[in-house]
Amino acid sequence: MIAEAGLAALWFAAALAGLQILLAVLGVRRGDAIGDQARDGIRAVAIVQGALALLAMALLIALFLRSDMSVRLVAENSHSAKPWLYKFAGAWGNHEGSMLLWVTILGVAGAAVARFERVLDGRTLVATLGAQAGIALGFYAFLLFSSNPFDRIPAAIDGMGLNPLLQDPGLAFHPPTLYAGYVGLSVAFSFAVGALVTRDVGPAFARAMRPWVLGAWVFLTLGITAGSYWAYYELGWGGWWFWDPVENASLMPWLAATALLHSVNVLAARDGLRAWTVMLAVVAFSMSMLGTFLVRSGILTSVHAFAVDPKRGAFILALLALYIGGALALFAGRIGTVKAGTVFAPVSREGGLVVNNLLLSVILGVVLIGTLYPIVAAAFGVQLSVGPPFFNKAAGPIALAMVVVMAVGPLLRWRRDDGRALPRRMAVPAGVAAAVLVALLVLAPIGVLPLLGLALAAGLAVASVMPLGGRNLRRTPLPIWGMVVAHLGLAVSLAGMACDSAFTAERLAAVRPGETVTVGPWRVTLDGIAPVVGENWSALQARLTARTGNSVRVLRPQSRFFATPPTVTSESAILTRWNGQLYTVLGQPDGSGRWQVRLWWKPFVTLIWAGGGMIALGGLLALVGRWWRTRRQRRAWN
């Protein structure tokens, strides 16, 4: 009965989403008693709808934990011998479950808006909840008519198992984190639609939307950072980013959300960039929908791309066209009512933010074109691929230009600034960047992009902390700390990327037990190969002894075999030191007693993910700081 209860919860949630839309229409259009009742009732409906979606997801997880093989989704994506963590995470490690997780977070977010939002005008809030219900209803229909996660089959003896590449603790955290980011952007989109419907685009709307944008941005940052490290250690290829279309599907919403975050700050605090903020809210959600379409449509082949049925892709594409086309039509119809807002000079912090947003938009366009071009070409019978060389050459220089603007922007004054004073303020960061550039040219000749990356990272790091100069640090508002930490985090990440690109040493060798190979400062000896057994796998495990100076460490990379489904995977062994990582992978025997081993020495590669964590921390500090300020203001008013 668990599956039937889950399906019933989905149907009831869909019905309530329809009712929520009806109440929103009445609440916006009617000013009589019926309108008042609709406005009063819509909050409760949104909360119950979110609770039902959460119940459906909880019941699906229960089916996976019980290994109920009479449910098709469980039988095709689980196995009774799997560890409980992978049964739990396996609930969303497939097409139907991941879409149910998507709509669950969507419903819970709508319920949170209904429960906690107290700043927004009543009619605009009702319109926002109506837009959120419209998005949810489309995905409920998708699940109920195209991707039912509770579909029954004749009971199987055991399941087919989960893709072994997904049998990793990262699956428990990475997808939910990314989805929370995607759905946070859906809330921002709903706020934008609500404000357009009631012609209420202004600072109040921006202040209501800002926490959701910040939250979505933090989750997306964490999701992308965690996903990058997950792929790095799990796939065994030693890279942290491959410009895979599925990777790009999460990067594009992040780029749009970053631009939206800066724009909504200007609107909330300075009443500027009104139309730009609304448009970015639409674009950001469009990118999250596009990402969902790419990953769930079956047009891509990837470990993340669960669906293989083009009909499902057509359904999502129809939803994408409906939501985004409708929002753009509404935007076009109401653009005349969106006032320009406060005017600012080109040389000002607002001006810097506009330039930064334009550069982010250009990078977004490059990634979008590079991602979609092979798909469009394939539709016309032309097979081609767009890989790292295109993205690095096209987006790399623009990203470096954006770093320069990031360094300058926080040192500008709001509204209007004196351009002649700017060189004096930038003297220290520019001097540090120039010194690093010269030192690298003399001591370690490297490629142009890594060279500029390291120099600009040093300059950005210095510029990032300069807004703290002359302040009482204990009284500095958390949003200022958030900006500093986030910008500093980007400098740290950039330094890690540049170091990995410039200084990584790689060695592929075939060795017998007792033989030694060298990579970077390490001497690595293969001591032997031995079989080991896990809960649902067996493996051949190498014992490698790594030496540098007086340090001796042992690493144990594995070549694992999973019986269900039959798959061989490489489990890397990574040694982390303060100045980098030694990355080892065991390959296949060559038939003459030798084993392939692949070794990388990656100086300062960990800075990439440390910087990602700092960027997310910066967003969290800003979110907490603004929440705390709002709470104090409400107490003062009361």
Side-chain angles (χ1 to χ4, degrees), residues 398-483:
I398 305 168
L400 292 179
M402 190 185 72
V403 170
V404 174
V405 179
M406 276 184 64
V408 174
L411 303 181
L412 290 168
R413 294 191 173 90
W414 292 105
R415 301 281 171 83
R416 181 181 296 277
D417 202 348
D418 183 0
R420 292 170 296 183
L422 196 56
R424 177 173 52 79
R425 291 181 213 154
M426 287 299 299
V428 175
V432 170
V436 171
L437 185 68
V438 172
L440 288 171
L441 284 172
V442 173
L443 301 175
I446 55 179
V448 174
L449 280 180
L451 179 71
L452 293 175
L454 281 170
L456 291 176
L460 176 60
V462 174
S464 297
V465 299
M466 287 182 67
L468 298 176
R471 287 178 176 270
N472 181 334
L473 298 183
R474 297 179 62 182
R475 294 180 177 275
T476 300
L478 276 180
I480 300 295
W481 277 109
M483 178 189 71

Side-chain angles (χ1 to χ4, degrees), residues 17 24 52 128 133 179 184 233 280 288 299 308 314 390 402 588:
L52 285 170
T128 299
Y179 288 1
Y233 73 75
L280 281 176
S288 71
I299 63 174
V308 293
F390 165 78
M402 190 185 72
Q588 298 299 314

Side-chain angles (χ1 to χ4, degrees), residues 254-505:
W254 185 87
L255 290 168
T258 305
L260 174 60
L261 178 61
H262 291 91
S263 182
V264 78
N265 274 330
V266 174
L267 178 53
R270 305 288 164 177
D271 193 16
L273 304 179
R274 292 186 176 192
W276 184 238
T277 301
V278 172
M279 177 54 77
L280 281 176
V282 175
V283 170
F285 180 60
S286 304
M287 292 301 105
S288 71
M289 285 290 295
L290 181 63
T292 304
F293 168 70
L294 289 175
V295 178
R296 303 289 178 265
S297 64
I299 63 174
L300 297 177
T301 301
S302 166
V303 66
H304 308 82
F306 302 124
V308 293
D309 183 358
K311 292 181 180 177
R312 295 173 174 176
F315 203 125
I316 297 176
L317 189 61
L319 290 179
L320 175 66
L322 177 65
Y323 296 147
I324 306 309
L328 290 177
L330 179 64
F331 181 76
R334 296 291 169 86
I335 187 64
T337 65
V338 180
K339 297 178 182 178
T342 304
V343 178
F344 52 86
V347 182
S348 63
R349 188 174 294 191
E350 291 95 329
L353 289 171
V354 169
V355 173
N356 219 31
N357 277 2
L358 289 174
L359 291 173
L360 278 167
S361 300
V362 174
I363 296 173
L364 172 59
V366 169
V367 178
L368 182 63
I369 292 170
T371 304
L372 295 184
Y373 184 54
I375 298 170
V376 175
F380 291 94
V382 179
Q383 298 296 325
L384 54 86
S385 63
V386 177
F390 165 78
F391 290 105
N392 291 340
K393 289 180 180 177
I398 305 168
L400 292 179
M402 190 185 72
V403 170
V404 174
V405 179
M406 276 184 64
V408 174
L411 303 181
L412 290 168
R413 294 191 173 90
W414 292 105
R415 301 281 171 83
R416 181 181 296 277
D417 202 348
D418 183 0
R420 292 170 296 183
L422 196 56
R424 177 173 52 79
R425 291 181 213 154
M426 287 299 299
V428 175
V432 170
V436 171
L437 185 68
V438 172
L440 288 171
L441 284 172
V442 173
L443 301 175
I446 55 179
V448 174
L449 280 180
L451 179 71
L452 293 175
L454 281 170
L456 291 176
L460 176 60
V462 174
S464 297
V465 299
M466 287 182 67
L468 298 176
R471 287 178 176 270
N472 181 334
L473 298 183
R474 297 179 62 182
R475 294 180 177 275
T476 300
L478 276 180
I480 300 295
W481 277 109
M483 178 189 71
V484 169
V485 172
H487 284 198
L488 191 57
L490 188 73
V492 171
S493 265
L494 180 59
M497 296 172 196
C499 283
D500 181 61
S501 175
F503 304 121
T504 290

Side-chain angles (χ1 to χ4, degrees), residues 2-3 5-7 9-11 13-14 49-64 71 73 91-108 136 139-144 147-151 176 179 183 292 296 306:
I2 294 178
L7 187 60
L10 268 185
W11 275 107
Q49 185 224 130
L52 285 170
L54 187 61
L55 174 63
M57 188 70 225
L59 292 174
L60 183 65
I61 292 172
L63 290 170
F64 270 81
V71 175
L73 192 65
W92 53 78
N94 54 78
H95 170 77
E96 291 86 349
S98 65
M99 294 308 298
L100 179 57
L101 178 63
W102 210 104
V103 81
T104 298
I105 298 175
L106 188 73
V108 171
F139 280 94
Y140 286 133
F142 177 69
L143 284 169
L144 292 169
S147 301
N148 178 10
F150 299 105
D151 189 22
Y179 288 1
V183 174
T292 304
R296 303 289 178 265
F306 302 124

